[in-house]
Amino acid sequence: MKLKGAWLLLLLVVSVLSVPIDRNEVNQEGKDVVQDENMDTGLYYDRYLREVIEVLETDPHFREKLQTANTEDIKNGRLSKELDLVSHNVRTRLDELKRQEVSRLRMLLKAKLDSTNTQSLQMDHASLLKQFEHLDPQNQNAFEAKDLELLISTATKDLENYDAERHEEFKRYEMLKEHERREYLKGLDQEKREKEEQRMEELKDKHRQHPKVNAPGSVAQLREVWEETDQLDPKEFNPKTFFKLHDTNEDGVLDEQELEALFTKELEKVYDPKNEEDDMMEMEEERLRMREHVMKNVDANKDRLVSLEEFLKSTEKKEFNNAKEWETLDAKPAYTEEELQRFEAELRDKEEELKKKVDMLNQEQEVLKERGKALEAQRKEYQQAVMEMAQRQQPAAHDGEIQLQPAKQEDKAGKVAVEENAPAPNHLPAEPPQNLPIHT
């Protein structure tokens, strides 16, 4: 699959491959597999974006227009007008994708409302869907040209803000790390604290002791990749050949992933995952800074892609041959002391809020326990009552035999009749007493 220009902009890969490129082992099929596996923009609608692109690429007419379109045609929405000419089968599949995306967004909205205990019985989905800018919420069943235009413009804008968000996330990570360090030291006695502070300072000094780091995009940096990674003669360095060599998917541009892969050699001078003093989060922030530096100086049309023409023009600049040494992150703190204090205040507020929630949950748990005990006692009472009723209904037992109580009947005169099953009355005289005197 070959994508051009700003279409690649929509599928930028925010993660990079940190392995050297081996020209002798990686074939074209392998490149496509790597590209597809890492094709993740980091956007919350990334899957929808990729599926729309994949469906559009199956239409010959749209694919042809895409390959001949320039960056501006895609970004300003001109390409969206070609959607009316795609096949009926493609439009049907796009309609289905949009319905699935709308359904997914509705589920997200419901989950959000449920989590905030908001009544959602009268929820206006059409109004709530307006907060999602990557599709047209007025038409929830059909994918139209406006949907494609919104998808492209929103993805472009979101990706432009993505780097800023990553920088802010890294700053918070560094402040949290410093906060935890200070809290840890507070818990130590003076002697242990002094030893630990000395150990930490030694680790910082060890991290700073690294070879010179060449400025990304400079001739020194590119020559180092040419010689050590590509295993080519440094005397035969050629910018055009270098560009084609590292355009791994052969689409005519260097995207952000391909650029960041060029900085691996420089980053290895400073960061080693085996060393305690080297933080891999800092390494990725360093990689991002290097890519932004190159884009700022090379990407003339600001489409987040480096064309061959832009690359060759950058090699003609004075800075290309006389670049200064690159300043790594340890040269300047990522935050100020005031920012750290505000961050720690936020942490304290969140901690207090969490404590209140924990106390509330504990109280609710106690109430539930009491209710459980009351229900258990009530259950036992019901069970005991049922057992007593069952015992009353059982016939009386005597010596293991069931004794039936004779039923009494009343005759017409109102007198009580003899009991049923009673023995017949004996009218014979009683047996004479024994040992009486015998009369003659």
Side-chain angles (χ1 to χ4, degrees), residues 330-347:
D330 51 60
K332 184 180 179 180
Y335 54 87
T336 64
E337 185 63 27
E338 290 76 11
E339 289 175 325
L340 178 60
Q341 291 178 2
R342 288 196 296 270
F343 176 76
E344 290 181 325
E346 291 177 8
L347 289 180

Side-chain angles (χ1 to χ4, degrees), residues 351-412:
E351 185 176 355
E352 289 297 324
E353 185 179 351
L354 288 175
K355 285 182 179 179
K356 291 180 180 179
K357 289 183 178 180
V358 170
D359 292 340
M360 186 181 300
L361 290 174
N362 288 335
Q363 293 175 3
E364 292 178 356
Q365 186 179 17
E366 291 299 323
V367 172
L368 291 175
K369 284 183 179 179
E370 293 299 324
R371 289 181 181 176
K373 291 179 180 178
L375 290 174
E376 179 64 18
Q378 190 176 16
R379 185 187 67 81
K380 290 182 178 179
E381 290 179 2
Y382 288 158
Q383 187 178 21
Q384 182 66 25
V386 170
M387 292 176 63
E388 292 177 356
M389 291 177 64
Q391 289 176 358
R392 292 194 190 102
Q393 294 176 358
Q394 288 180 359
H398 180 70
D399 295 335
E401 296 181 358
I402 296 177
Q403 301 294 329
L404 298 178
Q405 299 294 331
K408 294 183 178 181
Q409 297 180 350
E410 189 172 334
D411 57 13
K412 294 181 180 179

Side-chain angles (χ1 to χ4, degrees), residues 214-223 237-240 242 293-294 297-298 310-324:
N214 296 312
S218 65
V219 63
Q221 189 258 320
L222 299 184
R223 282 183 179 275
F237 174 75
N238 182 280
K240 186 174 182 179
F242 183 92
H293 175 79
V294 172
N297 294 282
V298 182
E310 290 172 330
F311 183 78
L312 295 178
K313 283 186 177 180
S314 70
T315 62
E316 299 172 359
K317 296 180 180 180
K318 181 180 178 180
E319 295 81 5
F320 180 72
N321 294 300
N322 300 309
K324 298 180 180 180

Side-chain angles (χ1 to χ4, degrees), residues 71-225:
T71 303
E72 291 304 318
D73 289 339
I74 298 176
K75 294 177 68 174
N76 60 24
R78 292 194 189 100
L79 188 65
S80 303
K81 299 177 181 179
E82 301 295 333
L83 189 66
D84 295 332
L85 303 177
V86 301
S87 66
H88 175 73
N89 181 46
V90 170
R91 291 299 294 269
T92 302
R93 292 168 64 189
L94 290 174
D95 292 346
E96 180 61 25
L97 286 177
K98 183 176 181 180
R99 286 192 290 269
Q100 292 176 2
E101 179 68 0
V102 170
S103 177
R104 184 182 73 90
L105 296 177
R106 285 176 176 172
M107 292 178 62
L108 290 176
L109 288 171
K110 185 179 185 303
K112 181 178 180 180
L113 293 174
D114 290 345
S115 66
T116 56
N117 296 323
T118 303
Q119 295 296 331
S120 58
L121 296 178
Q122 302 297 327
M123 184 168 53
D124 186 354
H125 287 96
S127 298
L128 292 173
L129 285 171
K130 290 181 180 179
Q131 62 186 286
F132 302 106
E133 300 178 348
H134 64 286
L135 49 72
D136 180 14
Q138 301 301 326
N139 183 359
Q140 301 181 15
N141 296 312
F143 189 97
E144 303 293 345
K146 185 177 181 180
D147 288 289
L148 182 57
E149 182 179 348
L150 289 172
L151 183 60
I152 294 174
S153 61
T154 304
T156 303
K157 180 187 66 176
D158 291 345
L159 287 171
E160 288 174 351
N161 298 329
Y162 192 72
D163 287 347
E165 293 175 0
R166 286 179 63 188
H167 287 308
E168 187 62 26
E169 182 180 350
F170 173 76
K171 180 190 290 188
R172 294 181 68 84
Y173 166 77
E174 288 289 289
M175 289 190 292
L176 179 60
K177 189 167 66 172
E178 175 62 18
H179 169 73
E180 292 177 345
R181 186 189 74 86
R182 294 183 181 185
E183 291 298 313
Y184 168 67
L185 292 175
K186 285 181 183 179
L188 303 178
D189 57 46
Q190 184 175 358
E191 182 179 356
K192 290 183 178 180
R193 186 184 306 115
E194 291 176 354
K195 290 182 179 180
E196 188 63 16
E197 287 178 343
Q198 181 180 358
R199 186 186 73 85
M200 291 179 175
E201 194 61 34
E202 290 175 353
L203 289 176
K204 288 183 179 179
D205 291 339
K206 185 178 179 182
H207 174 71
R208 296 189 187 101
Q209 297 173 4
H210 54 72
K212 173 185 175 181
V213 179
N214 296 312
S218 65
V219 63
Q221 189 258 320
L222 299 184
R223 282 183 179 275
E224 195 170 71
V225 175

